[in-house]
C-alpha cells in the first residue's frame, strides 16, 4: 500500500548473473523442474504464449521472446534473447538469453537471471525426461547426431536415465566429433563414430541436436523399438529426420502448437503424413493419462521444441537456490 506521501513499498529484484548459474544449478534440479512443468502443461495449469523470433535486420541477429504462465508454480515471465553470429569474433557466446520473472500476484518484476547455461540444461533435461518415460528400459546404445554446444549437455543428461554401454555418433562436420568422444569418455563410456545407417541399425536411443535444414536420419534406417529425441528443430524450416519417420513412430512433444509450427512435426503435417491429433504431450505420459510406449517394437519420437515455461521453471529454481545459499544480489526497483 502507498505510504502517506504516495510512495509505494520498495520492490527488491533478485539478480543471478550468468557467471553464478554453474555454481547453483544442477542437471538433476533442471530435470525435476522440466518434468514438473511438462506435467502442469498437460493438465492445463500451465501454458505458453506464442513464440516471437525475428530476423531483426541488424548484426545478422535473430531476436525474440518465449513466455508463459504456470498456475501451479506461479512461474510467470519471459526469456528474451536470440542468436548473434558475430559474437564469437568478440569473444562472446553467439546464443544470448536472459530470463525475467514477475510476481504473479502483483505483476512486479521479481528476478533477472542469466539464461545461457540454463537453456542448455533445460533442453537436455527435456530430452532426458522423454528418455525416462519413453525409451525401452533395456536401452544399451546411445546414438548422437550433432556435436555442437548442446550435444555434451544432451549426452550427459541421457546417460543419467539408462545404463548405456556405448555411445555412437555422427556429425555433419566430422571434425567436431571429438566433443562427443570427450564427453563419452568423461562418462566412462566407449565412443564410436558411425555412418547414419549404422546409427539406425545399432542405437536404442537417438538424440538429434543439430541446426540442420534437411533430413539427416531416414525412416527406413531406424530399428523397431528405438526412441528418438529430436531436439534441434526449433524454428520454421529446420529439419533433422525424414518426415516419414514421424508416420512410423508414435509422436510425443512438449507442446503440440509448437511441434506443428516450429518443431520436427511441421514437415510431416505439411506432407499430410500425420495429423495434429496423432501427437501426444509428454506431460500426459508423466501424469499417467497416456500409456506412453506400448511395446518393445514401437518407435517413439519426442519432438522437443523448447517452451518458455521450461526457462521460467529453471530460472525460478536458480533464484530459490541463490536465496538459500545467500549469493543472490538484490536491487531496489
Ligand atoms: P551449434 O552451433 O553449437 O552446433 C550446430 C550443430 O549442427 C553441429 O553439430 C553442426 O555440425 C550441425 N550442423 C550445422 N550445419 C548443419 C547442416 N547444414 N546439416 C546438418 N548439421 C549441421 O548449436 P547448438 O547450440 O549445439 O544447437 C543445436 C541446435 O539445437 C540448434 O538448431 C539450436 O537452435 C537448437 N536448440 C534447440 C533447443 C530446444 O529447446 N529444442 C534449445 C537450444 C538449442
Amino acid at each position: 500500500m502507498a505510504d502517506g506521501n504516495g510512495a509505494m513499498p520498495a520492490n527488491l529484484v533478485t539478480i543471478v548473473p550468468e557467471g553464478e548459474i554453474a555454481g547453483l544449478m544442477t542437471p538433476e534440479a533442471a530435470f525435476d523442474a522440466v518434468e514438473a512443468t511438462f506435467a502442469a502443461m498437460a493438465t492445463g495449469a500451465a501454458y505458453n504464449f506464442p513464440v516471437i523470433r525475428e530476423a531483426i535486420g541488424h548484426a545478422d541477429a535473430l531476436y525474440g521472446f518465449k513466455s508463459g504462465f504456470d498456475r501451479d508454480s506461479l512461474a510467470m515471465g519471459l526469456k528474451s534473447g536470440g542468436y548473434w553470429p558475430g559474437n564469437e569474433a568478440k569473444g562472446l557466446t553467439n546464443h544470448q538469453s536472459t530470463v525475467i520473472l514477475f510476481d504473479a500476484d502483483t505483476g512486479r518484476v521479481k528476478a533477472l537471471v542469466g539464461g545461457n547455461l540454463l537453456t542448455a540444461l533445460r533442453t537436455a533435461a527435456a530430452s532426458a525426461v522423454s528418455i525416462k518415460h519413453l525409451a525401452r528400459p533395456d536401452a544399451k546404445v546411445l546414438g548422437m547426431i550433432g556435436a555442437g554446444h548442446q550435444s555434451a549437455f544432451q549426452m550427459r543428461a541421457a546417460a543419467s536415465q539408462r545404463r548405456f554401454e556405448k555411445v555412437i555418433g555422427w556429425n555433419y562436420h566430422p571434425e567436431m566429433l571429438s566433443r562427443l568422444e570427450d564427453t563419452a569418455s568423461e562418462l566412462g563410456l566407449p565412443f564410436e563414430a558411425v555412418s547414419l545407417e549404422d546409427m539406425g541399425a545399432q542405437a536404442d536411443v537417438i538424440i538429434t541436436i543439430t541446426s540442420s535444414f534437411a533430413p539427416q536420419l531416414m525412416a527406413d534406417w531406424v530399428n523397431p523399438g528405438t526412441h528418438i529425441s529430436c531436439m534441434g528443430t526449433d524454428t520454421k524450416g529446420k529439419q533433422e529426420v525424414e518426415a516419414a519417420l514421424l508416420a512410423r513412430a508414435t509422436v510425443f512433444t512438449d507442446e503440440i502448437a509448437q511441434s506443428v509450427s516450429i518443431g520436427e512435426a511441421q514437415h510431416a503435417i505439411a506432407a499430410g503424413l500425420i495429423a495434429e491429433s496423432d501427437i501426444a504431450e509428454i506431460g500426459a505420459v508423466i501424469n499417467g493419462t497416456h500409456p506412453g510406449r506400448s511395446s518393445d517394437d514401437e518407435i517413439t519420437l519426442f519432438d522437443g521444441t523448447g517452451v518458455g515455461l521450461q526457462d521460467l521453471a529453471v530460472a525460478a529454481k536458480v533464484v530459490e537456490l541463490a536465496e538459500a545459499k545467500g549469493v543472490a544480489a538484490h536491487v531496489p526497483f
Side-chain angles (χ1 to χ4, degrees), residues 53 66 83 95 119-120 122-123 145-151 170-173 176 179 209-214 216 230-235 238 240 254 304-307 310:
R53 195 165 163 92
K66 284 189 168 181
Y83 186 74
H95 288 276
T119 297
R122 64 74 146 152
T123 305
I145 300 179
H149 179 67
Q150 307 288 333
S151 64
W170 180 90
N171 194 48
Y172 185 75
H173 301 103
M176 293 169 74
R179 176 181 266 126
I209 183 74
T210 73
S211 47
S212 174
F213 279 81
Q216 312 288 303
C230 295
M231 302 307 299
T233 296
D234 57 358
T235 306
K238 283 188 186 172
E240 299 189 288
D254 41 21
T305 64
V307 294
Q310 280 171 263

Side-chain angles (χ1 to χ4, degrees), residues 37-241:
T37 296
F38 288 162
M41 282 165 56
T43 66
Y47 68 108
N48 296 284
F49 303 163
V51 174
I52 292 176
R53 195 165 163 92
E54 302 278 330
I56 57 174
H58 177 75
D60 275 338
L62 290 174
Y63 173 67
F65 307 94
K66 284 189 168 181
S67 54
F69 177 50
D70 184 338
R71 275 193 300 273
D72 280 350
S73 69
L74 297 186
M76 183 172 94
L78 58 91
K79 178 169 83 170
S80 169
Y83 186 74
W84 278 261
N87 273 8
E88 206 172 333
K90 300 174 189 166
L92 300 169
T93 309
N94 287 357
H95 288 276
Q96 289 291 333
S97 60
T98 304
V99 181
I100 308 175
L101 297 175
F102 295 90
D103 183 326
D105 293 315
T106 63
R108 297 209 297 183
V109 62
K110 247 174 54 174
L112 203 59
V113 183
N116 294 353
L117 176 57
L118 285 183
T119 297
L121 289 171
R122 64 74 146 152
T123 305
S127 173
V129 166
S130 83
I131 293 168
K132 172 182 169 183
H133 292 280
L134 296 172
R136 289 193 337 268
D138 63 348
K140 300 260 185 301
V141 179
L142 172 63
M144 298 289 311
I145 300 179
H149 179 67
Q150 307 288 333
S151 64
F153 293 90
Q154 289 284 330
M155 194 196 298
R156 290 187 199 109
S160 70
Q161 295 307 316
R162 290 293 183 272
R163 292 178 189 277
F164 290 113
E165 294 174 355
K166 181 178 174 186
V167 180
I168 56 179
W170 180 90
N171 194 48
Y172 185 75
H173 301 103
E175 68 278 9
M176 293 169 74
L177 283 170
S178 57
R179 176 181 266 126
L180 298 182
E181 185 161 13
D182 292 349
T183 311
S185 149
E186 175 196 301
L187 293 164
L189 293 170
F191 174 78
E192 189 189 338
V194 295
S195 68
L196 284 166
E197 291 91 331
D198 281 349
M199 162 115 30
Q202 285 192 53
D204 302 307
V205 171
I206 299 176
I207 296 175
T208 63
I209 183 74
T210 73
S211 47
S212 174
F213 279 81
Q216 312 288 303
L217 185 67
M218 297 298 148
D220 287 348
W221 297 343
V222 174
N223 262 345
T226 306
H227 172 69
I228 306 143
S229 288
C230 295
M231 302 307 299
T233 296
D234 57 358
T235 306
K236 200 167 167 44
K238 283 188 186 172
Q239 185 173 13
E240 299 189 288
V241 305

